[in-house]
Amino acid sequence: MAPRISEEAKEEKRLALLDAALECFSQKGYYASSVDDIVRYSNLSKGSVYNYFDSKEDIFISLLQHQTKTSLERLNKVLREIESPLEKLKYWINLDIPFNLHKKKMMRVHIEFWMYSSDSPDVKKVLTDRFDTVLGIVKDIIAEGIEAGEFKKDVDPEKAAGMFWALHDGLWLHTLVRFDEKQLEERIKEIETTMLAYLT
């Protein structure tokens, strides 16, 4: 009888496969990557992959769900400790300073999620849920800031949250096309200036 593997060890293997998938997808792209490629990046057996995931698309979706869950847990933990809505928003805007190479890899893969979602209702649903969640958090911060008198009363929280995400995602798209750490950090500061001028 084969030895039983603990739930903790199973989860470690699953996360190792997701890390390998991130490396593979960020370097080769989703469409050019195969399950065999992910196996090579992970140094695990092909059988291990299919113990945890049904397909390459299942790995792709699981990667986005895992990254969304972990990043939102970290973010919400910090935001709960900041009282001022203005300071919450400033913290979020500056979250990518100093430059985070892991985030750059994830953004490359995330852009492929956007493209792939037109062919996959499952991926589109995951992306839509993620977008609604993060947009809702920003919207709540802005509404809280209006109530606290830190932001202008005539600001529309939904439109302001949409502007925040358009600036954020547009900046990361440009970073992937032409990466320069110093320029990225300068432009993050410009986003902060723009958002605060709009809100205060």
Side-chain angles (χ1 to χ4, degrees):
M1 176 185 262
R4 295 184 64 186
I5 183 168
S6 71
E7 290 303 315
E8 186 177 328
K10 284 182 183 176
E11 182 62 8
E12 283 178 10
K13 270 195 173 182
R14 193 182 77 87
L15 294 178
L17 286 165
L18 291 180
D19 285 343
L22 175 60
E23 291 297 323
C24 187
F25 293 152
S26 67
Q27 291 185 36
K28 297 189 68 173
Y30 175 76
Y31 289 99
S33 297
S34 66
V35 172
D36 286 335
D37 291 325
I38 295 168
V39 168
R40 280 192 291 274
Y41 275 82
S42 71
N43 293 318
L44 296 170
S45 69
K46 192 167 185 177
S48 292
V49 174
Y50 288 111
N51 282 337
Y52 299 96
F53 305 103
D54 296 331
S55 62
K56 184 174 78 165
E57 182 178 272
D58 187 27
I59 298 171
F60 200 41
I61 291 171
S62 297
L63 176 60
L64 179 59
Q65 290 172 325
H66 173 70
Q67 292 292 331
T68 298
K69 181 176 181 287
T70 54
S71 62
L72 284 178
E73 283 174 353
R74 285 193 300 266
L75 176 66
N76 283 323
K77 183 176 185 294
V78 175
L79 292 180
R80 282 193 295 270
E81 296 169 359
I82 302 173
E83 289 189 18
S84 160
L86 175 62
E87 293 305 317
K88 287 180 183 181
L89 196 64
K90 286 167 69 175
Y91 170 80
W92 200 340
I93 292 170
N94 289 281
L95 199 54
D96 296 316
I97 299 175
F99 176 71
N100 183 329
L101 184 58
H102 175 81
K103 179 72 178 283
K104 185 181 180 185
K105 290 176 184 176
M106 196 59 219
M107 283 305 297
R108 157 89 193 266
V109 176
H110 196 85
I111 288 167
E112 290 214 66
F113 277 116
W114 294 344
M115 295 186 297
Y116 186 69
S117 66
S118 62
D119 296 326
S120 170
D122 291 338
V123 172
K124 186 167 187 175
K125 172 77 167 59
V126 172
L127 280 172
T128 301
D129 289 348
R130 180 186 186 279
F131 182 81
D132 290 346
T133 299
V134 293
L135 192 73
I137 296 171
V138 178
K139 190 165 70 170
D140 289 347
I141 290 171
I142 293 168
E144 185 186 347
I146 294 168
E147 184 68 26
E150 292 187 351
F151 300 146
K152 293 184 289 192
K153 295 287 186 189
D154 61 348
V155 168
D156 181 321
E158 186 158 357
K159 290 179 181 174
M163 178 175 144
F164 172 86
W165 277 109
L167 291 168
H168 175 275
D169 288 347
L171 174 59
W172 271 100
L173 180 59
H174 293 173
T175 300
L176 292 173
V177 173
R178 187 177 182 278
F179 166 61
D180 180 307
E181 184 173 347
K182 185 171 182 295
Q183 286 179 337
L184 170 67
E185 295 187 1
E186 287 172 353
R187 287 171 188 176
I188 287 171
K189 286 300 181 185
E190 287 167 10
I191 287 176
E192 180 180 49
T193 300
T194 300
M195 285 301 303
L196 296 188
Y198 179 71
L199 292 169
T200 62

